[in-house]
């Protein structure tokens, strides 16, 4: 099967026109800056917020922006530990080894039963495997902070304020606190929300409750399932919710998989190549 890459087609002013699929060996201008006229127009036509071009609207002002981060794969290097724990469990239960590439291609956090079933775990072993993973993962050293994560949080807080930052994760509060105390991030512990499996309901509440209906709400995650949770929340009415899929090397899903999701959902989804690009969200670049 021919490999394909997704390319941002820009106009002469550097504005995004379309996301185009082309052969992987075709040279082209690539840029993840997909804040474009066509995307903004689609958002307006689909009943979302109306952003102006060139003039700052109320929606674009920092005080009217909420940014929520995923934790693992976005701020913390979770993948290697996760894969290693699951590989050991498979061996103990008599399952064959799998490759890390297959593991990350199937990884999602909306339904753990489905995830392990997709990895070949039998239904009668699902509960045992999940319990073993939770127990073993807690016993391992906590994942390390991704380079640039601390700076991204600092810059975000500086731009939009502490109370407009959220961290929505499946990790327990105990686990998050342990990491934050070690990494001198305990300042953010009051911004953590833990839905455990699936984030759609929490994202909906974040976008539509506590007077946030008129604000622009952004969720940053490394999994396609994060984007799918945003899509589910939008279908429930949270049209002010947007998704930024981060495709750096610490992401738990392959870059190609995220790019395909964004291409299918360009009316509310964009990509970030790394945390270094975080200020694009409030600067509109």
């Amino acid at each position: 099967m021919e490999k394909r890459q997704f390319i941002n087609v820009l106009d002469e002013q550097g504005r995004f026109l379309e996301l185009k699929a082309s052969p992987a060996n075709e040279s082209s201008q690539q840029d993840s800056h997909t804040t474009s006229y066509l995307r903004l127009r689609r958002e307006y036509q689909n009943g979302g917020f109306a952003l102006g071009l060139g003039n700052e609207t109320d929606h674009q002002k920092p005080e009217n922006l909420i940014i929520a981060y995923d934790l693992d794969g976005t701020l913390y290097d979770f993948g290697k530990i996760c894969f290693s724990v699951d590989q050991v469990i498979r061996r103990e239960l008599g399952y064959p080894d799998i490759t890390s590439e297959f593991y990350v291609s199937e990884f999602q956090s909306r339904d753990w039963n489905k995830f392990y079933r997709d990895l070949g775990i039998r239904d009668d072993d699902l509960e045992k495997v999940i319990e073993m993973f939770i127990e073993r993962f807690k016993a391992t050293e906590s994942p390390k902070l991704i380079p640039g994560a601390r700076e991204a949080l600092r810059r975000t807080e500086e731009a939009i304020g502490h109370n407009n930052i959220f961290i929505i994760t499946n990790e327990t509060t105990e686990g998050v606190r342990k990491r934050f105390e070690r990494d001198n991030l305990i300042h953010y512990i009051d911004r953590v929300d833990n839905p455990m499996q699936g984030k759609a309901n929490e994202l909906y509440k974040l976008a539509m409750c506590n007077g946030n209906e008129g604000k622009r709400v952004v969720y940053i995650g490394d999994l396609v399932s994060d984007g799918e949770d945003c899509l589910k929340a939008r279908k429930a009415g949270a049209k002010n919710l947007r998704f930024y899929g981060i495709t750096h090397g610490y992401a738990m899903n392959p870059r190609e998989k995220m790019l395909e999701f964004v291409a299918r959902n360009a009316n509310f989804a964009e990509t970030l190549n790394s945390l270094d690009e975080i200020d694009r969200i409030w600067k509109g670049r």
Side-chain angles (χ1 to χ4, degrees):
M1 176 183 255
E2 180 186 39
K3 291 186 177 180
R4 302 179 74 79
Q5 64 181 0
F6 290 91
I7 300 159
N8 294 329
V9 180
L10 310 177
D11 66 12
E12 293 179 355
Q13 283 74 46
R15 293 175 299 190
F16 176 82
L17 294 177
E18 64 176 323
L19 195 62
K20 173 186 173 185
S22 71
N25 60 358
E26 180 179 308
S27 62
S28 61
Q29 183 179 13
Q30 294 190 54
D31 194 299
S32 66
H33 295 182
T34 55
T35 307
S36 64
Y37 169 74
L38 291 182
R39 190 265 295 164
L40 295 172
R41 187 175 69 184
R42 282 196 301 271
E43 184 71 28
Y44 177 76
Q45 291 172 338
N46 290 341
F49 53 84
L51 287 175
L53 293 173
N55 297 316
E56 184 180 53
T57 67
D58 286 342
H59 246 299
Q60 290 171 300
K61 293 177 181 177
E63 62 268 27
N64 289 327
L65 173 62
I66 290 173
I67 295 178
Y69 285 89
D70 169 51
L71 190 74
D72 290 322
T74 300
L75 298 175
Y76 279 84
D77 186 3
F78 172 75
K80 295 183 182 68
I81 297 175
C82 193
F83 174 67
S84 177
V85 170
D86 270 327
Q87 195 81 298
V88 170
I89 292 172
R90 293 179 67 89
R91 291 169 184 167
E92 289 182 10
L93 297 180
Y95 288 93
D97 285 357
I98 55 175
T99 65
S100 59
E101 290 79 11
F102 176 64
Y103 186 81
V104 299
S105 72
E106 298 299 322
F107 197 90
Q108 50 87 12
S109 61
R110 297 180 71 189
D111 185 338
W112 292 116
N113 285 330
K114 181 181 185 304
F115 168 58
Y116 283 109
R117 194 177 287 120
D118 289 345
L119 294 182
I121 302 297
R122 296 183 296 272
D123 283 0
D124 56 352
D125 282 336
L126 289 174
E127 184 176 350
K128 181 193 302 183
V129 168
I130 293 170
E131 288 177 354
M132 289 176 71
F133 176 82
I134 293 171
E135 180 182 345
R136 303 284 179 85
F137 185 77
K138 283 183 178 179
T140 64
E141 183 182 1
S142 296
K144 302 295 187 184
L145 197 64
I146 289 171
R150 188 193 314 278
E151 177 67 7
L153 287 170
R154 186 194 65 76
R155 286 158 59 195
T156 304
E157 183 173 18
E158 205 172 71
I160 67 175
H162 183 75
N163 290 336
N164 286 336
I165 297 175
F166 291 85
I167 297 169
I168 300 178
T169 175
N170 296 315
E171 175 64 292
T172 63
T173 301
E174 175 191 359
V176 177
R177 180 178 293 277
K178 182 180 177 182
R179 301 188 204 185
F180 280 11
E181 287 176 346
R182 180 196 65 193
D183 298 327
N184 296 317
L185 295 174
I186 199 66
H187 171 63
Y188 297 104
I189 196 65
D190 65 321
R191 311 316 301 154
V192 176
D193 194 2
N194 321 75
M196 291 305 294
Q197 283 201 54
K199 303 169 184 175
N201 188 50
E202 300 304 316
L203 289 167
Y204 175 84
K205 289 191 294 184
L206 179 62
M208 298 301 290
C209 298
N210 300 316
N212 293 339
E213 301 93 328
K215 296 182 179 181
R216 182 182 177 214
V217 180
V218 168
Y219 188 56
I220 304 166
D222 66 306
L223 297 175
V224 167
S225 62
D226 292 331
E228 291 170 344
D229 280 330
C230 288
L231 179 59
K232 186 175 180 180
R234 283 177 57 88
K235 286 181 177 178
K239 298 297 186 182
N240 56 329
L241 176 63
R242 299 192 60 78
F243 174 63
Y244 278 73
I246 191 160
T247 60
H248 58 194
Y250 304 94
M252 284 293 291
N253 277 166
R255 175 180 173 83
E256 294 75 18
K257 190 171 181 179
M258 182 64 76
L259 291 175
E260 288 170 3
F261 175 83
V262 168
R264 293 194 308 270
N265 297 279
N267 63 314
F268 78 93
E270 302 183 40
T271 59
L272 289 175
N273 288 318
S274 72
L275 291 169
D276 292 339
E277 297 181 353
I278 196 67
D279 60 353
R280 278 181 39 216
I281 296 174
W282 58 84
K283 290 183 177 180
R285 294 189 282 107

